[in-house]
Amino acid sequence: MKEFGSYDYIIVGGGTAGCVLANRLSQDPSSSVLLLEAGGKDNWIWIHIPVGYLYCIGNPRTDWCYRTQGEAGLGGRNILYARGRVLGGSSSINAMIYMRGQARDYDEWARLCGDESWSWERVLPVFKRSEDHWRGGDAFHGSGGELRVEQQRLRWDILDRFAEAAEQAGIPPTADFNTGDNNGSGKFEVTQRRGIRWNAVKAFLRPVIKRPNLRIVTDVLVDKLSFEGTRATGVEFLLGGERMRARSRKEAVLAAGSIGSPAILQRSGIGDAGKLAELGIAPVHHLPGVGANLQDHLQLRAIYQVEGIRSLNLLANSKFGQMLMGLEYAWRRGGPLSMAPSQLGIFTRSDPTQPTPNLEYHVQPLSLDKFGDPLHRFPAFTASVCALRPSSRGHVRIVSREPADAPRISPCYLSTEEDRRIAADALKLTRRIAAMPALAPYKPREHLPGPQYQTDEELALAAGLVGTTIFHPVGTCRMGAEADDGAVVDTRLRVRGIGGLRVADASIMPTITSGNTNAPTLMIAERAAGMMVGDR
């Protein structure tokens, strides 16, 4: 094994969390920082043109291209489980939606973990610190931070009509989803700057890339951690076919995401000792919560064919339309090439007993059979709806000692009666909105899942047939109180029973946030960096 040097801090993973950590930890010129990323540089054009997510997701150049196990709740299907494998991580391939969730999410974290520092009141300033919001600074938004948040640069009549239909169905409009109360319908805000994706590399890494105390290494396959007793002292990885070891003088921090971080811990001997022994891995510390508690948002894609109103389908299937879209983007960085996958968002309750919105809609002026397929040749919109607080819990487990072997991913979607009931209610609500007068002139006809599904049982079955991930896996190294035997990290994100090691990414969430997960991941990394500097 070849020695790769010693550093004060080693960061594993150059995604959203890793970029934030690299920026913050290298601010002190006396601290040396090594950032290790499995993917390459973010220098491909389709990373930066917003609609390029279509070419990045499912592409091994930028995506790990994981697949789930066959899911009983999805009719036995296995599905693509995209995770960014490039500098910027999933911020380089995601939907660019800036969404914090609800105040109750963080207050629940504080309650579960017994630590008020994770409450909404305490994390809101952390969100604001890194934000450069198009409205400027106010009680809920920051100005001058690294992460640019803007309005989208196009509109669609069909989405405006859907928002009107939602209001007729009792869902009011809202001007801001990020105040801690995201009830209502409105346009998603995005992490873009003037029509170009503003990923974590542009925001946090590029401005500091020339710091002499920061070293960034790409195309690195991290295998495991090295130890002295139960203290992490470095990271072992493969680079250019050679096995290397870098040593951490102060701390190593895993920021490899909800799939990568638990897999690295398990290969390192931290996890369920019995399951690790079956793979021939000597346990370093028995921590059965590693890889457990996987939570994700399952989106149910309802597609409606329409008449007499424009959608992206016909435009994208026309050579003339493609030329117009290219010209509009080249001329003013606007139009369909600047669009996030979803423009209209809706947060509402599946039934009146829910204390806060438990459903999120991503409404799109397009339709396709499945991700990666061409758009349909008829005008249509898609109203994808997901349950924000699923009760189903899955897991991530390695299948061998080899770092190149993808772990087994089992989200266990729709495995509880509560989740199946809410899924059926969500599809019924979608039908109610589609039947409102605002959409009547366009004669919406249900293309997917189809009008043959009517009873609650049939709709729960339909949910499994049309459901797919919206790429929000969290919780597999969850944070918890001292008495919580299933917790992997404490409230300062230190791995239990191990010295010199933290986890700082979406895997530490005790429960999933009520919305998209990129902004909360950034906040977690901000807090982790502050804790590491403070503890030093």
Side-chain angles (χ1 to χ4, degrees), residues 44-57 59 62 92-94 96 197 329 336-341 371:
W44 191 33
I45 188 172
W46 287 116
I47 290 172
H48 307 289
I49 297 175
V51 81
Y53 73 91
L54 291 168
Y55 305 104
C56 293
I57 293 177
N59 184 338
T62 49
S92 293
I93 69 172
N94 69 359
M96 296 161 283
R197 178 189 290 273
Y329 188 75
L337 295 189
S338 73
M339 65 188 265
F371 192 87

Side-chain angles (χ1 to χ4, degrees), residues 195-522:
I196 295 172
R197 178 189 290 273
W198 200 249
N199 66 354
V201 179
K202 291 191 185 82
F204 297 98
L205 206 55
R206 196 168 293 170
V208 303
I209 205 163
K210 292 185 178 179
R211 284 178 179 168
N213 62 328
L214 173 62
R215 184 174 185 182
I216 302 165
V217 186
T218 56
D219 300 302
V220 170
L221 185 59
V222 170
D223 179 9
K224 59 184 179 179
L225 301 156
S226 52
F227 299 92
E228 289 179 5
T230 56
R231 181 173 181 81
T233 56
V235 176
E236 298 179 19
F237 55 91
L238 299 171
L239 177 62
E242 278 195 277
R243 191 169 191 86
M244 308 275 191
R245 177 172 57 199
R247 298 184 182 272
S248 52
R249 289 188 290 265
K250 292 177 181 173
E251 288 190 82
V253 54
L254 297 182
S258 292
I259 309 303
S261 288
I264 292 168
L265 287 174
Q266 289 168 359
R267 286 197 299 271
S268 304
I270 301 172
D272 186 299
K275 290 184 172 63
L276 296 180
E278 291 172 6
L279 298 174
I281 297 172
V284 172
H285 182 58
H286 178 60
L287 208 55
V290 174
N293 193 49
L294 175 61
Q295 299 159 61
D296 190 16
H297 291 143
L298 180 71
Q299 62 171 334
L300 312 179
R301 297 187 314 115
I303 295 173
Y304 286 82
Q305 190 169 346
V306 291
E307 299 176 12
I309 194 165
R310 192 173 70 118
S311 79
L312 184 61
N313 287 7
L314 300 188
L315 197 63
N317 280 305
S318 153
K319 292 290 185 186
F320 181 69
Q322 292 169 11
M323 182 184 70
L324 286 179
M325 289 190 294
L327 288 172
E328 188 172 10
Y329 188 75
W331 178 251
R332 63 177 193 89
R333 292 289 183 264
L337 295 189
S338 73
M339 65 188 265
S342 304
Q343 293 79 55
L344 176 66
I346 296 174
F347 290 82
T348 189
R349 295 165 172 80
S350 62
D351 67 79
T353 67
Q354 299 293 330
T356 61
N358 69 323
L359 299 178
E360 177 183 11
Y361 280 87
H362 293 77
V363 192
Q364 305 154 334
L366 54 86
S367 66
L368 64 163
D369 285 335
K370 65 179 186 297
F371 192 87
D373 284 1
L375 300 185
H376 291 141
R377 291 188 171 275
F378 51 78
F381 66 84
T382 301
S384 291
V385 59
C386 65
L388 288 170
R389 296 185 288 275
S391 55
S392 299
R393 296 291 184 269
H395 56 265
V396 174
R397 293 177 186 150
I398 57 171
V399 297
S400 79
R401 301 167 65 174
E402 296 300 319
D405 291 345
R408 181 181 293 113
I409 301 169
S410 300
C412 299
Y413 296 120
L414 302 175
S415 58
T416 67
E417 186 56 41
E418 178 187 1
D419 285 357
R420 290 189 290 273
R421 174 179 55 79
I422 291 174
D425 288 345
L427 289 174
K428 286 189 284 188
L429 176 58
T430 305
R431 285 177 173 172
R432 189 157 69 87
I433 295 171
M436 288 293 132
L439 287 169
Y442 314 108
K443 302 177 182 177
R445 297 187 300 281
E446 186 175 325
H447 176 77
L448 194 76
Q452 66 270 29
Y453 300 100
Q454 288 296 325
T455 67
D456 284 357
E457 260 187 45
E458 290 170 343
L459 286 169
L461 173 65
L465 298 178
V466 302
T468 189
T469 179
I470 205 163
F471 310 121
H472 295 165
V474 309
T476 51
C477 298
R478 73 175 169 87
M479 173 174 63
E482 188 175 347
D484 184 350
D485 292 337
V488 176
V489 299
D490 65 15
T491 57
R492 295 188 69 78
L493 309 185
R494 297 171 295 203
V495 176
R496 292 180 147 199
I498 301 292
L501 180 63
R502 300 191 204 225
V503 180
D505 55 35
S507 71
I508 69 94
M509 296 185 190
T511 53
I512 195 166
T513 53
S514 302
N516 309 67
T517 53
N518 186 254
T521 300
L522 191 157

Side-chain angles (χ1 to χ4, degrees), residues 1 18 75 102 106 109 115 139 155 166 182 189 288 309 315 364 370 434-435 459 476 482 515 528:
M1 187 183 306
Q102 298 170 9
Y106 304 97
W109 290 7
D115 186 339
R155 58 169 294 278
N182 55 14
E189 295 173 332
I309 194 165
L315 197 63
Q364 305 154 334
K370 65 179 186 297
L459 286 169
T476 51
E482 188 175 347

Side-chain angles (χ1 to χ4, degrees), residues 81-104:
Y81 218 65
R83 296 283 84 204
R85 185 178 186 173
V86 64
L87 271 180
S90 293
S91 79
S92 293
I93 69 172
N94 69 359
M96 296 161 283
I97 292 170
Y98 184 79
M99 183 66 58
R100 296 169 179 165
Q102 298 170 9
R104 73 175 298 281

